[in-house]
Amino acid sequence: MLTRGDKTVEDCLQVFEEIASLGIGHVGFKDVGVTPETLHKLMGAIRKTGATTYMEVVATTPESALQSARVGRDLGIDRLLGGTQIAETLKILEGSKTKYYPFPGKPVGHPTKLGGTAADVLDHSASFMAAGCAGADLLAFRATEADPIELVQAARRGLGGGYLVVAGSVASKERIQQIAAAGADAFTIGSAVFDGSYSPRNGSIRSQLKAVLADCQ
């Protein structure tokens, strides 16, 4: 994710140009932090590499969340992450190629924290699949009242064969291994790369990402 602190970094175009040759197949951003013109340019740059595109909704009001869904649809995003207004968002995306992965649990604020229990996450995840979503975007390590790994396991059970993305604060090899073992299909990483905390002895964003890629093998 070309994001830091739940906002797209202002120099996202330059950053993507710097990392494009690494061959990363999944690249995303938020719809906040930069102008719509910049987002269109960024989408074009990502598309040229053949990577799957993601946009995560971090809006804090129902209407702004739905507006974010419209932005993602109009950009032609492959995968829209986040939000909790399932029926309304699916209606907005109807007829587009954009697949939807809502937040299970009880997300609040910005940067987003996650309330709710493992039972909530299981029930929500199952309801997403019944509604026609492609999976879920779980803020496991932003949890305020539950064990993160138990949330991943609950989401996995609720989704069945749906696609499970773990987002937020995945900042170490240990956490990558934990969520993989618990059943996650993917994770997002942004701030830990930009602030250098993923691999503290490496100085560049490219080196940070190389370390992440190596730990995914």
Side-chain angles (χ1 to χ4, degrees):
M1 298 293 281
L2 296 169
T3 63
R4 186 176 187 177
D6 275 359
K7 292 183 180 180
T8 299
V9 294
E10 293 182 359
D11 59 346
C12 57
L13 293 171
Q14 294 93 325
V15 171
F16 186 68
E17 182 178 359
E18 179 183 344
I19 67 173
S21 63
L22 292 175
I24 298 172
H26 300 264
V27 183
F29 49 85
K30 310 291 199 295
D31 67 322
V32 295
V34 297
T35 65
E37 179 183 11
T38 298
L39 290 182
H40 279 281
K41 290 180 179 178
L42 180 58
M43 269 294 294
I46 298 171
R47 282 272 181 237
K48 288 180 180 178
T49 69
T52 300
T53 55
Y54 296 70
M55 193 186 87
E56 188 171 49
V57 176
V58 290
T60 57
T61 67
E63 181 47 46
S64 58
L66 294 179
Q67 180 55 32
S68 292
R70 295 183 189 100
V71 170
R73 176 200 62 197
D74 294 345
L75 284 171
I77 290 292
D78 294 316
R79 297 176 176 180
L80 181 70
L81 308 178
T84 58
Q85 294 162 274
I86 312 306
E88 297 95 329
T89 301
L90 287 173
K91 183 65 176 177
I92 289 170
L93 299 179
E94 196 173 74
S96 75
K97 67 173 185 177
T98 303
K99 296 180 180 180
Y100 186 39
Y101 307 76
F103 286 140
K106 301 174 182 178
V108 294
H110 183 262
T112 312
K113 299 294 184 181
L114 186 68
T117 65
D120 292 327
V121 166
L122 189 154
D123 290 345
H124 292 173
S125 298
S127 71
F128 296 166
M129 299 308 294
C133 297
D137 181 30
L138 177 65
L139 299 166
F141 292 102
R142 303 277 183 88
T144 59
E145 54 185 290
D147 176 76
I149 300 306
E150 289 181 4
L151 294 183
V152 178
Q153 293 167 337
R156 178 73 279 156
R157 293 195 300 273
L159 292 174
Y163 197 81
L164 176 56
V165 180
V166 174
S169 303
V170 180
S172 67
K173 181 178 181 179
E174 179 185 17
R175 287 190 173 180
I176 292 173
Q177 292 174 330
Q178 287 175 333
I179 62 175
D185 296 295
F187 64 93
T188 68
I189 189 166
S191 294
V193 167
F194 285 103
D195 65 22
S197 62
Y198 187 87
S199 183
R201 293 186 61 80
N202 286 311
S204 74
I205 294 171
R206 282 181 61 89
S207 295
Q208 295 288 319
L209 287 171
K210 284 180 179 179
V212 174
L213 291 170
D215 289 343
C216 290
Q217 299 305 311

